[in-house]
Amino acid sequence: MGLVSRGAAAAGVGAASAVVRPGPPHAVPHPIPTPPPEGAALGSSRVPGMVLKAFFPTCCASADSGLLVGRWVPEQSSAVVLAVVHFPFIPLQVKELLAQVHQAGRVGLAVLGTWCHRRQEAEESLGHFLEGLGTIFSHEPWLQLCREQGSKLWSCKATRRQVPPCPGAPYEDQVMLVFYDQRKVLLSQLHPPAALPDCLAGDAAPSAGGLAAVFDTVARSEALFRSDRFDDGPVRLSHWQSDGVEASILAELAKRASGPVCVLLACLLSLVSAASACRLFKLWPLSFVWSKLSVCEQLRHRLEQLTLVFSTQKAENPTQLMRKANVLVSVLLDVALGLALLSWLRGKDRIGPLAEALVPVADHVAEELQHLLQWLMGAPAGLKMNRALDQVLGRFFLYHLHLWISYIHLMSPFIERILWHVGLSACLGLTVALSILSDIIALLTFHIYCFYVYGARLYCLKICGLSSLWRLFRGKKWNVLRQRVDSCSYDLDQLFIGTLLFTILVFLLPTTALYYLVFTLLRLLVVAVQGLMHLLVDLINSLPLYSLGLRLCRPYRLAAGVKFRVLEHEAGRPLRLLMQINPLPYGRVVHTYRLPSCGCHPTHPWGSLCRKLFFGELIYPWRQRGDKQA
């Protein structure tokens, strides 16, 4: 392999097999000319063209002279420089390297131009030698970047040799040099802008598309950054990993061991899923219990989470990878909190005292309810009640309360064992323990729920009767077939019976409404306690902890956009900018990466809740088929 001189490089001789080395210092007497400023003289040999953007990595600012390798984005008139190829090199091997990167990342890379870093005075003649390389690596436009030794002066120009506007004069573009941190751009994920008004959406689309092209180019060219200066490869490059490829022995060992572990756990989870889908669990009593208990829904949700985490399928995009990481961190935090709760319960044997205190607390609650019923059976707050209905309702509820106290005392020998199993279930996570605790509270307050149902049904029956009789007085009736109110004529007997019934219901309504109001307040108190538990469970299940950790520790990993800082803006010099990443706001991080929750409990808007309470409609402790998922 012979040396290629400046004349041979210009003629294209030996372009494929020759080793390209810089020529001797005396070959060219003049340095690279700087691009003319705006408003150049009429006699200038350069013809100014369009303004293009050259994205240059900051890690290559002190690299040795060589070739600029990157991608040209014609839609944005931008050149994304990825690395610098140093001398000596064989052009055919450089093209083979670019072809390998294109096959690995599906991104078209090319030699965009030359890079000249003048470290000594004798190296000033290197510029004209680099100009001749444009005939070997033909690219339009051809970039020529140069940096003076020991100064902040940069010269940039881009020439086009095809169809010059003036004979013998190359067509030259103005270059705007934009520096970027290659490592941060590679590791970051650019998120699309939020919804903008119509007047601003069109202005933001081109800039967002240009930034997406830069981030996508760097991300797809990861195969180019796998070699460093310690490798004995045929091509020597400068990029962000030139001083050594970032790696970790623990991370590599975890990658090696994750494959067999994921396969084994995926098989076990598939067996558990097949067992849970057995026909035995689809029978009516078991299917009803499975769909209504919070712990069953949480276990099903945990099975879905583990199936996603230990899936052998590779994530197709960064969003799926981020979701897997968020689910994994959520499960690990949940299990860690559950183990902390278990250690606290087993530390000083707190389960025994809790079991012994549970029965006296239940007796005290039952005693307070008994006093409340006796107060309602008298003259509560000086109100005049219907004594006959008041006594019937009071004795009915007292009988149910007596049955409940007997049930609690019957279950008292097994309470400690039940609490021990609840504490043991915390090994599966704090959310599982909280779900079991919510179900236990629902069972312990089942008598309050029964009281609420009885009172709500009586109250709703009276409200519906009064509304129907009120329509009777106005000569109206409810058309069941057409679901509307129509006119109707009633005879004297119907009006007389309706008046009697309306009077009876009106005078019985305060007694029923008082019982309904008291037991509804008690029911809402229980629902509030269970709602706090469900809120904590949903917070652990849906909060994207991994994404929030990235936003806190490495904000550049979640990019919402970029900002530019002016480094140099002088007449006759190229405009130099520094591109910095704007991190994604915390609220948008939660909104973008929030995980789905189990959603077994109902969620009612305030308007719907008040309407149901006023008309006596039941508020179920589980989600109905007609309820919408929040």
Side-chain angles (χ1 to χ4, degrees):
M1 299 182 182
L3 299 177
V4 178
S5 63
R6 179 175 177 268
V13 179
S17 60
V19 179
V20 180
R21 301 176 185 273
H26 59 275
V28 180
H30 300 291
I32 298 178
T34 59
E38 298 182 359
L42 296 177
S44 175
S45 62
R46 301 289 181 179
V47 180
M50 65 171 54
V51 177
L52 60 86
K53 300 179 288 294
F55 291 87
F56 190 80
T58 55
C59 56
C60 298
S62 58
D64 296 335
S65 302
L67 298 177
L68 298 176
V69 176
R71 177 191 177 191
W72 170 252
V73 185
E75 296 83 3
Q76 306 294 333
S77 298
S78 303
V80 183
V81 180
L82 299 174
V84 176
V85 179
H86 302 296
F87 300 105
F89 58 84
I90 299 177
L92 181 60
Q93 293 179 346
V94 175
K95 294 180 180 180
E96 290 178 354
L97 176 63
L98 298 182
Q100 293 175 3
V101 176
H102 173 69
Q103 185 178 4
R106 300 299 179 184
V107 56
L109 301 185
V111 177
L112 302 177
T114 58
W115 160 251
C116 180
H117 188 193
R118 299 172 183 167
R119 298 180 180 273
Q120 298 177 0
E121 295 295 335
E123 294 183 359
E124 294 182 355
S125 61
L126 186 62
H128 283 278
F129 173 76
L130 295 176
E131 287 182 353
L133 296 178
T135 59
I136 301 178
F137 304 97
S138 59
H139 186 271
E140 294 291 337
W142 183 257
L143 295 178
Q144 296 181 18
L145 304 183
C146 182
R147 180 186 179 187
E148 301 289 344
Q149 170 65 20
S151 65
K152 298 182 180 180
L153 300 179
W154 290 67
S155 62
C156 309
K157 64 179 180 178
T159 58
R160 300 178 185 265
R161 300 184 181 275
Q162 297 180 358
V163 193
C166 297
Y171 186 62
E172 184 173 315
D173 295 329
Q174 298 294 327
V175 181
M176 181 172 61
L177 195 58
V178 181
F179 294 93
Y180 71 97
D181 193 327
Q182 198 171 60
R183 179 178 180 274
K184 291 183 178 181
V185 173
L186 176 64
L187 297 178
S188 64
Q189 179 183 356
L190 183 63
H191 295 73
L196 297 175
D198 296 337
C199 59
L200 300 179
D203 300 337
S207 60
L211 293 177
V214 174
F215 280 76
D216 183 68
T217 300
V218 179
R220 292 190 178 187
S221 306
E222 190 176 359
L224 188 66
F225 309 136
R226 294 175 182 172
S227 61
D228 53 24
R229 61 187 181 89
F230 302 103
D231 294 337
D232 297 331
V235 180
R236 191 165 59 94
L237 302 172
S238 284
H239 46 76
W240 73 278
Q241 290 194 127
S242 300
D243 294 334
V245 178
E246 288 189 355
S248 173
I249 298 178
L250 296 178
E252 293 298 327
L253 291 177
K255 290 180 181 179
R256 298 282 183 177
S258 61
V261 172
C262 288
V263 171
L264 178 60
L265 292 177
C267 293
L268 294 177
L269 292 174
S270 62
L271 292 177
V272 175
S273 300
S276 63
C278 181
R279 291 185 178 181
L280 180 63
F281 294 101
K282 295 183 179 180
L283 297 178
W284 176 76
L286 294 180
S287 62
F288 180 81
V289 173
W290 181 262
S291 61
K292 302 309 179 185
L293 289 180
S294 301
V295 62
C296 296
E297 293 293 333
Q298 179 60 30
L299 289 176
R300 182 187 303 172
H301 184 68
R302 178 53 47 83
L303 182 61
E304 294 176 356
Q305 288 180 328
L306 295 178
T307 303
L308 176 64
V309 170
F310 297 109
S311 175
T312 55
Q313 297 180 356
K314 189 177 181 181
E316 298 179 357
N317 48 52
T319 303
Q320 294 184 1
L321 183 61
M322 189 71 71
R323 182 185 178 187
K324 276 191 173 184
N326 286 323
V327 171
L328 178 60
V329 173
S330 177
V331 171
L332 292 179
L333 177 64
D334 189 14
V335 173
L337 294 176
L339 292 177
L341 176 63
L342 181 60
S343 63
W344 180 79
L345 291 175
R346 297 295 296 262
K348 296 183 180 180
D349 194 15
R350 294 183 174 88
I351 297 180
L354 286 176
E356 294 177 357
L358 187 59
V359 176
V361 169
D363 290 338
H364 178 70
V365 173
E367 184 179 356
E368 293 295 330
L369 284 175
Q370 188 174 3
H371 292 328
L372 178 62
L373 289 173
Q374 292 175 356
W375 178 70
L376 291 175
M377 292 173 64
L383 297 177
K384 182 66 175 178
M385 311 294 292
N386 186 281
R387 184 168 182 81
L389 180 60
D390 193 9
Q391 293 295 323
V392 170
L393 293 178
R395 292 175 182 177
F396 177 77
F397 289 133
L398 285 175
Y399 176 72
H400 279 73
L401 186 60
H402 176 71
L403 292 179
W404 180 252
I405 295 175
S406 302
Y407 171 73
I408 291 295
H409 285 280
L410 184 64
M411 292 293 296
S412 59
F414 308 100
I415 291 180
E416 184 175 358
R417 184 171 300 179
I418 293 174
L419 292 180
W420 187 86
H421 284 90
V422 172
L424 190 62
S425 67
C427 297
L428 300 176
L430 181 62
T431 55
V432 177
L434 289 176
S435 300
I436 295 178
L437 184 60
S438 176
D439 293 334
I440 290 177
I441 291 177
L443 293 175
L444 291 178
T445 59
F446 185 70
H447 57 302
I448 297 179
Y449 179 72
C450 291
F451 295 165
Y452 162 72
V453 171
Y454 299 151
R457 289 303 186 190
L458 288 174
Y459 177 77
C460 183
L461 180 62
K462 286 184 170 55
I463 292 295
C464 292
L466 289 174
S467 61
S468 299
L469 295 174
W470 178 250
R471 286 194 295 267
L472 184 142
F473 293 155
R474 295 183 299 148
K476 305 287 185 180
K477 73 171 183 177
W478 175 255
N479 193 333
V480 181
L481 296 178
R482 298 187 178 183
Q483 295 293 311
R484 67 182 186 183
V485 178
D486 295 335
S487 300
C488 181
S489 59
Y490 297 97
D491 54 16
L492 185 60
D493 295 337
Q494 291 175 334
L495 293 175
F496 178 72
I497 295 176
T499 304
L500 291 179
L501 293 177
F502 184 82
T503 306
I504 294 173
L505 292 179
V506 166
F507 283 105
L508 293 180
L509 181 62
T511 304
T512 308
L514 184 60
Y515 276 88
Y516 169 71
L517 176 62
V518 171
F519 292 122
T520 299
L521 294 177
L522 293 177
R523 176 59 191 163
L524 291 179
L525 179 61
V526 176
V527 168
V529 174
Q530 290 182 307
L532 292 177
M533 295 183 180
H534 293 158
L535 183 62
L536 183 58
V537 170
D538 287 347
L539 187 64
I540 298 176
N541 285 333
S542 62
L543 198 62
L545 299 174
Y546 179 76
S547 301
L548 291 175
L550 280 183
R551 175 60 181 85
L552 180 63
C553 301
R554 297 182 178 181
Y556 59 88
R557 293 290 300 271
L558 303 176
V562 298
K563 58 183 178 181
F564 297 92
R565 183 166 62 91
V566 179
L567 298 179
E568 180 184 7
H569 189 197
E570 298 179 1
R573 291 289 178 181
L575 176 62
R576 292 194 296 129
L577 305 175
L578 177 62
M579 186 178 73
Q580 298 174 341
I581 295 178
N582 282 332
L584 204 65
Y586 284 99
R588 195 174 170 198
V589 170
V590 175
H591 177 73
T592 304
Y593 295 104
R594 185 175 182 179
L595 299 173
S597 181
C598 58
C600 60
H601 55 280
T603 55
H604 303 286
W606 285 106
S608 176
L609 181 62
C610 294
R611 184 185 63 82
K612 288 184 176 182
L613 292 177
F614 181 78
F615 289 103
E617 300 180 14
L618 291 181
I619 302 175
Y620 291 94
W622 51 75
R623 185 179 297 277
Q624 298 296 305
R625 292 183 179 180
D627 294 340
K628 296 181 180 180
Q629 181 73 25

